[in-house]
Amino acid sequence: MAQLILNQVYKKYDGKKKKLFKKQEKNNFAVNGISYTCNDGEFIGILGPSGCGKSTTLRMIAGLEKITAGEIYIGDMLINDLEPKDRNIGLAFEDYALYPPLTVRENLAFNMRAKKKAQNEIDEAIAYVAPLMKIDDLLEMKPSALSGGQKQRVNIARAIVRRPGLLLLDEPLSHLDGKMRQQLRQEIRRMHHEIHCTAIIVTHDQMEAMSLADRIIIMKDGMIQQIGTPLEVYDDPVNEFVAGFIGEPPMNLLHAKIVNKNGGFVFTFAGSELEVQVPKKYGKIVCGGMEVILGVRPTDVMITKKSAAGTQVRIAVYENLGDERRIAVRVGASLVSITTVDDVFYSVGDKVQLAFHEERTHLFDPATGNRIRG
Ligand code: ADP
Ligand code: MG
């Protein structure tokens, strides 16, 4: 059982220490001053685009990569200089790295044997994890006989066989096909429920992070953008990046200008006649002429009328995915995505009227990307 604390952790590959904090070099950090606490037993997801520093972060926690600056604690022990093998950490990375000549059972036993554990202790540990990861039937097989999904199960079983205080998973499912991923995702969740260690999963797949993690850390360019529960990062993004990154299809982010109208305010869009009422909660912080990024999820845009009078937009895309319809309409130079379960069919070019779920819109500062709150 362990609480994990990162305090202002930096990583610069090939970094020379005395030059580190020169301003012009700031963007050379693979990890750029991150701090967070994983609570005991918590499942944390680190989510972000490729190259944002997720794996580097995990490798520093595991002790596989030296920290350029900052502190990492497990419990109240500073582990910066502790050998990886002394950190009580279980690791499972994307490539399985099972020992090919050994059977699954021997692969699971390998690290315990190295630690000179007694045979009955090894047998007990394997008997515990094998059903947990559903690999009972694979124990006497060699890795070459296993499918990708089975290898990854063994890989994860090997990571937890010594009951680590901290489990680190780096994109463990990214080699697998859709159905297998979903299945293994559920099994990881169930396994964590059972052994209840502190766990971190690194992924670029938001579905994976959203479905597995208690809290998600969203990273970009080596920096943390937001930490929150899946619902918090979805409903209450702190900036334009998080708003656009979480959600599939992504949130519409439209450049809008605010205009006074009939004693209130409306959003207007360059090249379009569409006007959308500015919600009351923003009344005190907006003014005529102000430019904003208006964020609205595809599920919060509605088509109210087909071929009606009034401000109209045209259908640009209509896709029927069976359980939902994905529609795009042209507003000025932008396409606005709409997701709906309505059955109405539209042809490309149809004129329609739009309404926004105004209370669920978000405003961002076009200069900084930061959220403007009502
Ligand atoms: P992620 O896992 O989020 O895709 P990484 O942590 O692997 O990102 O990489 C973060 C940044 O550090 C990237 O710009 C990457 O090119 C760089 N990087 C990663 N590993 C090394 C390395 N061993 N040497 C030099 N640069 C590296
Ligand atoms: Mg990575």
Side-chain angles (χ1 to χ4, degrees):
M1 291 290 147
Q3 183 189 46
L4 173 76
I5 301 168
L6 275 74
N7 183 25
Q8 286 297 304
V9 173
Y10 289 82
K11 176 67 187 182
K12 187 175 181 184
Y13 289 100
D14 77 19
K16 305 224 174 17
K17 256 208 163 141
K18 58 182 182 214
K19 278 197 188 166
L20 272 180
F21 293 96
K22 274 193 178 171
K23 257 216 168 91
Q24 65 268 31
E25 291 195 8
K26 262 216 143 156
N27 54 2
N28 289 346
F29 287 97
V31 171
N32 198 344
I34 67 174
S35 302
Y36 61 83
T37 299
C38 306
N39 300 318
D40 193 6
E42 196 174 23
F43 204 146
I44 293 282
I46 302 183
L47 179 65
S50 183
C52 73
K54 304 180 297 293
S55 295
T56 302
T57 303
L58 213 64
R59 293 171 59 82
M60 287 192 289
I61 296 168
L64 302 173
E65 204 68 70
K66 233 180 140 38
I67 302 167
T68 306
E71 291 150 357
I72 301 182
Y73 296 89
I74 292 181
D76 46 18
M77 180 165 63
L78 183 68
I79 60 156
N80 285 25
D81 298 317
L82 203 63
E83 289 288 317
K85 65 177 171 47
D86 298 327
R87 295 187 182 201
N88 189 23
I89 281 174
L91 295 173
F93 290 163
E94 180 181 2
D95 48 8
Y96 321 111
L98 301 173
Y99 302 108
L102 305 185
T103 62
V104 167
R105 181 187 295 283
E106 289 160 344
N107 264 285
L108 294 179
F110 192 86
N111 283 324
M112 297 185 81
R113 280 209 212 294
K115 288 228 163 189
K116 309 240 181 312
K117 299 283 183 200
Q119 186 61 45
N120 66 331
E121 201 181 328
I122 295 175
D123 291 344
E124 259 172 47
I126 293 175
Y128 179 74
V129 295
L132 210 53
M133 291 312 297
K134 298 201 176 140
I135 55 167
D136 312 64
D137 299 340
L138 311 177
L139 289 174
E140 310 315 326
M141 289 163 85
K142 295 271 176 68
S144 58
L146 306 180
S147 72
Q150 290 171 328
K151 280 183 195 161
Q152 196 51 268
R153 278 168 206 276
V154 175
N155 195 25
I156 294 171
R158 187 176 55 170
I160 59 176
V161 74
R162 283 190 294 156
R163 308 298 300 274
L166 185 60
L167 175 64
L168 305 178
L169 306 169
D170 191 346
E171 310 253 8
L173 309 180
S174 31
H175 277 342
L176 309 177
D177 61 44
K179 206 165 172 198
M180 182 63 77
R181 286 173 86 118
Q182 208 174 347
Q183 204 179 346
L184 206 46
R185 210 155 68 196
Q186 283 168 5
E187 263 147 43
I188 291 175
R189 184 97 195 122
R190 198 174 38 77
M191 172 274 290
H192 179 255
H193 208 76
E194 175 81 16
I195 69 173
H196 220 71
C197 59
T198 309
I200 303 181
I201 184 165
V202 156
T203 174
H204 64 274
D205 177 346
Q206 52 168 307
M207 283 300 290
E208 218 160 280
M210 298 289 273
S211 63
L212 280 172
D214 300 314
R215 282 190 304 156
I216 298 177
I217 297 174
I218 296 167
M219 287 183 69
K220 177 185 171 236
D221 300 336
M223 284 181 276
I224 293 179
Q225 304 292 304
Q226 186 167 2
I227 304 179
T229 64
L231 213 59
E232 279 165 358
V233 296
Y234 184 85
D235 278 343
D236 201 10
V238 296
N239 60 28
E240 192 182 341
F241 174 79
V242 175
F245 195 73
I246 299 283
E248 174 51 38
M251 184 186 284
N252 295 295
L253 293 162
L254 305 168
H255 206 108
K257 190 170 184 172
I258 293 172
V259 172
N260 291 79
K261 187 163 185 184
N262 306 332
F265 295 104
V266 291
F267 297 108
T268 62
F269 307 89
S272 167
E273 287 174 15
L274 180 66
E275 291 180 349
V276 175
Q277 201 69 38
V278 174
K280 284 212 168 57
K281 62 179 175 182
Y282 297 120
K284 286 206 174 71
I285 53 154
V286 300
C287 57
M290 184 175 174
E291 297 197 7
V292 295
I293 304 291
L294 171 65
V296 61
R297 295 217 177 268
T299 44
D300 295 329
V301 185
M302 285 83 58
I303 296 176
T304 52
K305 276 183 196 154
K306 195 170 172 176
S307 305
T311 308
Q312 292 177 339
V313 295
R314 281 179 190 275
I315 300 284
V317 178
Y318 178 87
E319 294 171 346
N320 193 338
L321 302 186
D323 55 346
E324 64 181 32
R325 261 55 66 195
R326 290 192 180 177
I327 301 170
V329 296
R330 200 165 285 289
V331 173
S334 311
L335 280 184
V336 175
S337 315
I338 304 167
T339 306
T340 176
V341 292
D342 278 353
D343 273 332
V344 185
F345 172 80
Y346 299 98
S347 302
V348 171
D350 278 357
K351 285 182 171 180
V352 295
Q353 230 172 318
L354 283 192
F356 286 25
H357 211 304
E358 287 146 15
E359 294 305 324
R360 290 205 212 143
T361 55
H362 305 283
L363 299 192
F364 303 96
D365 181 338
T368 62
N370 289 336
R371 176 88 171 269
I372 303 170
R373 289 180 186 274

